[in-house]
Amino acid sequence: MSLSDTLAGKRVIICCGSGGVGKTTVSASIALEHALAGKRTVVCTIDPAKRLANSLGLDRLDNEPRPVPASAFAEAGLDAKGGELHALMLDTKRTFDALVERYAPSAEIRDTVLANRMYQNISSALAGTPEYMAMEKLYELTQSGDYDVLVLDTPPTSFALDFLEAPTRINHFVASDVLDKFLRPYFRLGHFGYKMVQKGMGRTFQVLEKLTGLEVLREIADFFDAFDALFDGFRERADRVAELIRSPDSVFMLVTGPRPDTLAEGVFFYEKLVELAMPFGGFVVNMVHEPFDRGKRFAKTIDKLRGNVKSTKSDGAVGVQLLRALAQTYRDHEALAEREALYLEDLRGRVGQKNLPIYRVPFLDDDVHDLSGLKQVADQLFRGD
Ligand SMILES: Nc1ncnc2c1ncn2[C@@H]1O[C@H](COP(=O)(O)OP(=O)(O)OP(=O)(O)O)[C@@H](O)[C@H]1O
Ligand SMILES: [Mg+2]
């Protein structure tokens, strides 16, 4: 099945996979393909490589979608035919802040939470928060009604698929191990509880206060007080996010690399997606080394080089040495390409589904840092053999 068929009618395309395999590149390429087909498209990226960010017009860190300028399309010789490509770079903290603003029952509670130092640390540092916020942003963008197709690039946290369990995720957040074990029993009762604990724990508390500073303890107490008020709103929202990503409008694409370790991680992710009943679209195996000699390019190149060595008056021995080194590089490359082909065969066997789509993108000569590069990847994905 072609990738166009797999993605037909999908509004939300989520690209996940382990670190460095090309999730951002593939996400942006899929978004570009849709924009070139006349759709209003947005790609929500996570920390794109600097040069790609620049070419997408994301040179400033920005949590809101920005249109990729017409000049960038013109420069790449592309015509969007009325389609639009917007891009944003997810800012976990700002997305979390927006969520607090939305669900705080009063301005006072909102300000208490936002100004709280404990919240400030948790909102950017707690494990799983970036994944959860990526989903949250996705939901916000679908609700805006501004886009036909949304592509989500997910954070490079291999094996952390917590975001798929968004409703429980937010529970985990409030009841995370650290909070639960050390702090929550003491401070969940807010100021009143805090006073009681202060009294009850007597000397221990005094020492604790000395060590951490009274302010810190008070902030923790305040945090739980205020945060409890947001909890129901968060959970309800998380349920809606979970509903969206499980709906037939959504599809997960698993990006992976052609090596045994990344493929093994890919299979792990795949099994997790199946277990969680997520809509699965297929694997994208990126940066595959294709056999170089498909068009007998190597033989031609060597012939040419032999001719060059003969015609130059330089030391022939050096020329021969170079030719040998080149031949060795060629053999190494062909062996690598052969091994990768075997790994890909093995992937089919391991996922146990014969007709599971596997899309390949070759390792391109240059890294992908502009619209032309993204178009090249899109051509391979959507029209490659
Ligand atoms: N098919 C390809 N051929 C050549 N270079 C590629 C290809 N795909 C991606 N790259 C390059 O590989 C690097 C990593 O790609 P990318 O940033 O998309 O990976 P990622 O999975 O998003 O990484 P991270 O997990 O760090 O977010 C980039 O420099 C990109 O330009
Ligand atoms: Mg990335």
Side-chain angles (χ1 to χ4, degrees):
M1 200 194 305
S2 76
L3 186 57
S4 308
D5 291 337
T6 299
L7 301 182
K10 301 290 179 190
R11 277 185 60 222
V12 174
I13 301 160
I14 302 167
C15 296
C16 57
S18 35
V21 292
K23 293 176 299 298
T24 304
T25 305
V26 168
S27 304
S29 300
I30 291 177
L32 175 65
E33 174 74 16
H34 284 89
L36 293 175
K39 300 253 166 57
R40 292 172 309 158
T41 312
V42 62
V43 55
C44 177
T45 70
I46 319 279
D47 204 14
K50 182 107 184 66
R51 285 205 295 168
L52 177 62
N54 285 348
S55 69
L56 291 175
L58 287 171
D59 32 8
R60 281 179 292 142
L61 185 84
D62 210 334
N63 205 31
E64 295 308 319
R66 294 179 166 272
V68 174
S71 57
F73 279 90
E75 211 174 285
L78 299 172
D79 178 5
K81 296 184 219 90
E84 294 166 19
L85 175 58
H86 297 252
L88 73 85
M89 182 147 52
L90 182 81
D91 181 331
T92 301
K93 172 134 182 25
R94 274 194 228 159
T95 306
F96 211 144
D97 289 352
L99 200 59
V100 169
E101 280 163 24
R102 185 185 297 272
Y103 284 105
S106 69
E108 200 194 335
I109 291 184
R110 177 197 66 204
D111 294 344
T112 308
V113 172
L114 293 181
N116 189 285
R117 275 185 294 172
M118 185 160 167
Y119 164 76
Q120 285 166 2
N121 282 313
I122 280 174
S123 59
S124 46
L126 201 71
T129 310
E131 288 87 350
Y132 180 61
M133 287 307 131
M135 291 292 158
E136 166 56 32
K137 192 75 198 174
L138 181 77
Y139 184 74
E140 185 196 310
L141 293 170
T142 55
Q143 293 310 98
S144 75
D146 292 340
Y147 307 102
D148 304 314
V149 176
L150 298 97
V151 188
L152 178 71
D153 166 27
T154 53
T157 40
S158 54
F159 298 109
L161 281 168
D162 297 345
F163 63 89
L164 298 177
E165 291 146 300
T168 44
R169 173 77 245 149
I170 198 68
N171 279 321
H172 288 167
F173 169 71
V174 177
S176 86
D177 265 8
V178 181
L179 300 187
D180 234 20
K181 284 204 187 90
F182 301 109
L183 303 169
R184 197 169 165 83
Y186 299 118
F187 299 111
R188 65 175 314 162
L189 300 172
H191 274 299
F192 180 62
Y194 169 80
K195 289 258 151 53
M196 295 219 324
V197 169
Q198 195 179 29
K199 251 177 140 176
M201 286 178 72
R203 177 132 180 79
T204 315
F205 200 80
Q206 279 166 21
V207 172
L208 203 60
E209 266 187 13
K210 267 219 181 85
L211 283 176
T212 59
L214 185 60
E215 260 315 290
V216 174
L217 291 180
R218 199 156 270 152
E219 279 201 45
I220 294 170
D222 283 351
F223 173 75
F224 282 112
D225 241 7
F227 211 81
D228 269 354
L230 296 170
F231 187 67
D232 283 346
F234 275 22
R235 195 159 43 189
E236 184 205 308
R237 179 95 167 174
D239 282 341
R240 276 190 265 146
V241 172
E243 211 171 280
L244 168 73
I245 61 174
R246 276 207 173 85
S247 80
D249 281 354
S250 303
V251 66
F252 281 80
M253 297 305 303
L254 228 162
V255 187
T256 179
R259 299 196 321 254
D261 55 342
T262 47
L263 285 172
E265 284 174 15
V267 171
F268 172 86
F269 275 85
Y270 166 74
E271 284 166 354
K272 188 89 183 164
L273 288 169
V274 170
E275 185 189 315
L276 294 166
M278 296 294 166
F280 185 70
F283 284 90
V284 172
V285 185
N286 187 30
M287 302 198 237
V288 177
H289 294 86
E290 301 285 1
F292 185 69
D293 221 5
R294 270 197 181 156
K296 300 274 177 264
R297 281 192 292 165
F298 184 71
K300 271 193 208 144
T301 311
I302 285 287
D303 275 352
K304 212 163 129 199
L305 287 173
R306 267 206 198 104
N308 285 354
V309 168
K310 273 190 198 143
S311 67
T312 48
K313 301 212 163 48
S314 67
D315 186 352
V318 174
V320 170
Q321 258 179 12
L322 281 174
L323 276 180
R324 278 212 186 106
L326 188 65
Q328 186 57 47
T329 308
Y330 164 75
R331 281 194 294 271
D332 289 348
H333 179 273
E334 293 302 280
L336 180 63
E338 223 168 274
R339 274 203 306 280
E340 288 184 359
L342 290 175
Y343 298 145
L344 287 189
E345 270 311 304
D346 187 45
L347 172 68
R348 283 187 195 284
R350 280 165 62 188
V351 294
Q353 247 194 70
K354 287 263 176 306
N355 54 356
L356 200 72
I358 299 179
Y359 305 101
R360 282 179 307 141
V361 180
F363 198 106
L364 301 174
D365 292 340
D366 202 359
D367 78 353
V368 184
H369 59 266
D370 57 11
L371 288 191
S372 311
L374 293 177
K375 173 76 170 102
Q376 240 182 306
V377 173
D379 282 341
Q380 291 293 335
L381 275 171
F382 289 87
R383 287 164 288 280
D385 50 32

